[in-house]
Amino acid sequence: MATTRTFLVLFSLACSLTLCICDDESNYGGGEGNLFPGFYRSSCPKAEEIVRSVVAQAVAKEARMAASLMRLHFHDCFVQGCDGSLLLDSSGSIGSEKGSNPNSNSARGFDVVDQIKAALENECPGTVSCADLLTLAARDSSVLTGGPSWMVPLGRRDSRSASLSGSNNNIPAPNNTFSTILSRFNNQGLDLTDLVALSGSHTIGFSRCTSFRQRLYNQSGNGSPDITLEQSYATNLRQRCPPSGGDQNLSELDINSAGKFDNSYFKNLIENMGLLNSDQVLFSSNEESSELVKTYAEDQEEFFEQFAESMIKMGNLSPLTGSSGEIRKNCRKINS
């Protein structure tokens, strides 16, 4: 397994050095409807450079932005596939996914997406989709914080609709049980390995008090805290997250290295120091998942390889291609 993933990552790196050989359509099946890394090679050759530059500036200004952009990609792909639907504002018949429970007062980075799109439109109008720029921004966010890189298959088009109900029902919640979380991943065609690896993105970023308060004070509805939460860590968290109020107070998802993409997140889970219930259950509720947590805690390279593989897999969920959808001029609204 590790050998296979190592080959895939090395192949991707080789492709990045020999675009004329590896990034063309023929290497990804060819024909309309397929995604491949060299999609914009002729139509917008500076596309990836532009995305990378704007993301780098945003992360330099606010390190937290890397996690925010990566989260936008996750939340987009889990609703209607990776089609940029999350980026749409409410208008006419469109009920924005930004108002869903997982996204309201939480999803952020839309201004950075606007900046990327404006730069792309200036360079090559009507060419690069919002869905693709968001996928590239997620990859660049990983790299800029010390995480893995990968070749991003491109060619997604943008949806002309959004699904508020899909956003409420498809995206795993912080207090979901392990079985619920795995079911929601399986519904997207992602397996248990993808679940554990992709959850490793919580090695960067922060979460709001309202997302983990239940673990501190009333985990099972009986007024008692989560017994799987390490006690000194819980005491520290209670100082920033009171029983009421302070909903927007932030705590690091990875207490040891919130600004660095590494495998510390998995080491925390073994010490019962996962911030969210959805984090800790990866270690405490399923034997196969627990073994993967241990593997990634011991071997950062193994984690990086699987994370890259799973990000590519997630990024390929139900894309709109060919003549489906559109290329939005403004990521916040459909073209008139």
Side-chain angles (χ1 to χ4, degrees), residues 287-298:
E287 183 175 353
E288 184 180 355
S289 173
S290 178
E291 288 304 311
L292 283 171
V293 169
K294 293 176 184 176
T295 296
Y296 299 152
E298 294 171 358

Side-chain angles (χ1 to χ4, degrees), residues 183-243:
S183 176
R184 293 190 176 187
F185 269 72
N186 289 162
N187 289 342
Q188 302 297 330
L190 301 171
D191 59 25
L192 184 145
T193 300
D194 299 316
L195 163 59
V196 179
L198 292 174
S199 294
S201 65
H202 284 181
T203 185
I204 57 174
F206 296 78
S207 185
R208 299 175 299 154
C209 168
T210 187
S211 296
F212 58 87
R213 176 184 285 122
Q214 179 178 328
R215 297 192 71 203
L216 301 177
Y217 304 102
N218 192 27
Q219 175 70 348
S220 302
N222 59 2
S224 299
D226 185 349
I227 60 173
T228 67
L229 189 60
E230 200 276 331
Q231 290 305 302
S232 62
Y233 180 48
T235 298
N236 178 274
L237 290 174
R238 290 189 188 99
Q239 295 175 5
R240 287 180 280 178
C241 185

Side-chain angles (χ1 to χ4, degrees), residues 40 83 88 94 117 126-131 155-161 320-336:
Y40 298 112
D83 62 357
L88 289 169
I94 295 175
K117 184 58 174 173
T127 303
V128 181
S129 69
C130 300
R156 300 166 192 79
R157 289 170 64 85
D158 299 321
S159 69
R160 293 181 55 83
S161 66
L320 296 174
T321 58
S323 59
S324 299
E326 64 180 13
I327 304 298
R328 288 185 217 135
K329 298 176 183 178
N330 179 335
C331 292
R332 294 176 180 264
K333 61 182 182 181
I334 61 175
N335 297 338
S336 24

Side-chain angles (χ1 to χ4, degrees), residues 18-47:
T18 56
L19 292 178
C20 61
I21 298 175
C22 300
D23 71 347
D24 64 8
E25 198 170 351
S26 62
N27 288 283
Y28 286 79
E32 184 177 75
N34 288 286
L35 306 179
F36 58 99
F39 187 85
Y40 298 112
R41 185 178 61 194
S42 298
S43 60
C44 193
K46 293 184 179 180

Side-chain angles (χ1 to χ4, degrees), residues 28 38 43 61 76 78 80 82 95 97 105 114 139 157 161 169 172 182 197 208 221 235 239 241 297 305 307 334:
Y28 286 79
S43 60
K61 183 177 180 181
D76 181 44
F78 267 69
Q80 301 185 167
C82 307
E97 294 168 19
N105 298 314
D114 291 341
R139 187 272 311 275
R157 289 170 64 85
S161 66
N169 296 322
L182 180 59
R208 299 175 299 154
T235 298
Q239 295 175 5
C241 185
E305 291 173 0
F307 183 80
I334 61 175

